[in-house]
Amino acid sequence: MGKPHLQSAGRRWSTAVRWPLGLILAAWRYLWSITPVHRWEMTGDWPADAPPQLPAGTDSAELQSSEDGVGPLMHRIYRVRIIRSTLTPEQLMARMSQNLDGVAPSEFATFQKVEGEKGDLKRGNSYVVRMAGPWDGPVRVIAADATSFRLATLPGHLEAGQIEFRARSDYRSLWFEIESWARSGDRLSDLLYSRLRISKEVQLHMWSSVLQQVVELAEGEMEGGIVITTRVVAADSLPGARRDGRLSRRSRARVAALADRRVNFDNTKTDTYAAESGWHLDDMVEALPHEGPGPPAEEGSWQVARGVMDSYQLADPRVVTASYDKDRPLAGRDMMLRIRFAGLRLRVGVRIGDVYEETREVDGRAVRVFGWSYSTLEGHFEEGQMHYELWKWEDLGDVEFHLKAVSRAAQKGPLLLRTGFRLLGRSKQLRFYRQVCRRIKRLTEAQLETERAASAR
């Protein structure tokens, strides 16, 4: 088996010269692309988001696995639905395997087989991803069948991990997915990816471009755009990681300090606040994927959405992230929220109240309800309580997410934050509520589709 042929000095210099031009062209196409791209990011867990086991007989010593990488583990799924194609999943993968470079975005990346290896893609083949930058991306095929193949990175790659390409079909369309489990290959790559986010945007554009090329290869049409779901497993949650670092200690101390804070309003009077001046009452409902009649189905829409609620994946992590003690039960849990607001990064505390699951009768219909609420603590720039609930109507199988909130600007605390919230907070607050509703719907849809794809393989 030949080793990947890395760039000569001359090729490295010529590629380095092409790099800025490639990035400019890629950015131009990205900005003017009319393809809808739906990006959803959430917190992942180990081992649920761990890379798959290497196939039997694979020499792991030759690979650059995720254990060799730096920074968080990114578990990402890129998915597209293709309609009006006459190809089967096997035919589509056969076309792709014959010429892997045919689906590459040529402005900044090409797939080249290692010298001396011929024929269609098969297990053991090695490729080099020639990128519009001063790096190569050597990979090896570690698994391949009629509808999928999986690559593992080799030493020298910008990433450390695995990536799988697969096709499947349902009664009316083709699905094509790219699923990756990877960390940055070294500290420079981690800086470009996690801190400066340059590599992240280039990578997202690269694989989105590959999906568009696959649609053309299938001679079909894309339906619904490209969906990208990312689950981020923090570096200190990975096996062998040190969990006593400075940041972890600081976060634990901040969460522990919340125990001494009181709720910053009278939460026994929330039913009367709507009629009082200055208080806002919001009530939103979002329809989730349908289930069959009866109690919530195992691994169905209601149960999947409940998992999103339990782990507080409701908020977009680019806007709100939560730190809390995972060993404590959900009821009564204190959470330190880090909120991006008006260009600032603010830390505020909330406390979860009762957690409940019950069957109610509403207008003569039985509905299964799971829910919990949280109240703002001293130091928060607003006062109020948020309720999240999942409903399943057992007669028809309709599933709904309910968000209900009562709130106003805080009457005590830092004057600058309270003033800023009074001036700018209401519009951003409503936008956040709408994002939460939309997010739980799309995350539930994505997880259900992932589970259907896994069961079909």
Side-chain angles (χ1 to χ4, degrees), residues 7 11-25 105-110 112 130-136:
Q7 289 177 324
R11 175 179 281 275
R12 281 185 177 275
W13 279 108
S14 64
T15 308
V17 170
R18 282 195 308 119
W19 181 41
L21 298 177
L23 286 179
I24 291 172
L25 179 57
S106 58
E107 66 267 22
F108 62 90
T110 62
Q112 298 180 10
R130 306 285 191 193
M131 291 179 280
W135 305 282
D136 278 333

Side-chain angles (χ1 to χ4, degrees), residues 212-377:
Q212 294 178 62
Q213 295 291 333
V214 169
V215 174
E216 293 186 13
L217 190 65
E219 299 175 2
E221 299 177 14
M222 183 186 301
E223 182 179 77
I226 296 170
V227 178
I228 306 173
T229 304
T230 303
R231 293 176 59 87
V232 183
V233 183
D236 60 4
S237 298
L238 298 173
R242 294 181 58 187
R243 292 175 171 80
D244 57 351
R246 180 181 179 186
L247 182 59
S248 296
R249 288 200 305 269
R250 184 181 301 170
S251 295
R252 286 199 299 269
R254 285 172 175 158
V255 172
L258 295 178
D260 296 326
R261 298 189 191 181
R262 296 175 297 178
V263 172
N264 64 352
F265 68 105
D266 187 352
N267 58 1
T268 66
K269 298 172 56 179
T270 53
D271 292 339
T272 66
Y273 283 145
E276 297 184 16
S277 176
W279 286 91
H280 300 286
L281 178 62
D282 298 294
D283 196 349
M284 299 183 181
V285 179
E286 184 75 27
L288 302 183
H290 188 269
E291 289 188 12
E298 190 69 28
E299 299 182 353
S301 174
W302 193 88
Q303 291 288 2
V304 169
R306 176 171 176 167
V308 174
M309 287 178 57
D310 282 342
S311 56
Y312 196 69
Q313 305 280 5
L314 296 165
D316 185 340
R318 293 172 296 183
V319 180
V320 179
T321 57
S323 298
Y324 54 88
D325 184 353
K326 294 184 179 180
D327 294 330
R328 290 199 58 181
L330 183 60
R333 176 186 293 170
D334 290 335
M335 296 197 301
M336 177 65 75
L337 305 183
R338 187 176 69 172
I339 301 175
R340 289 179 172 86
F341 174 73
L344 303 174
R345 294 187 179 184
L346 311 174
R347 289 183 174 85
V348 294
V350 298
R351 180 167 297 140
I352 295 177
D354 292 334
V355 180
Y356 49 90
E357 183 176 344
E358 60 193 18
T359 299
R360 301 175 185 170
E361 186 172 312
V362 180
D363 297 329
R365 302 170 62 195
V367 57
R368 191 67 176 173
V369 178
F370 167 75
W372 50 268
S373 65
Y374 66 69
S375 300
T376 54
L377 301 179

Side-chain angles (χ1 to χ4, degrees), residues 435-456:
Q435 286 178 335
V436 166
C437 292
R438 183 166 175 256
R439 179 176 170 83
I440 192 170
K441 178 179 181 178
R442 295 308 296 266
L443 289 179
T444 301
E445 291 172 340
Q447 183 61 30
L448 290 172
E449 190 56 49
T450 298
E451 292 176 357
R452 279 194 289 267
S455 63

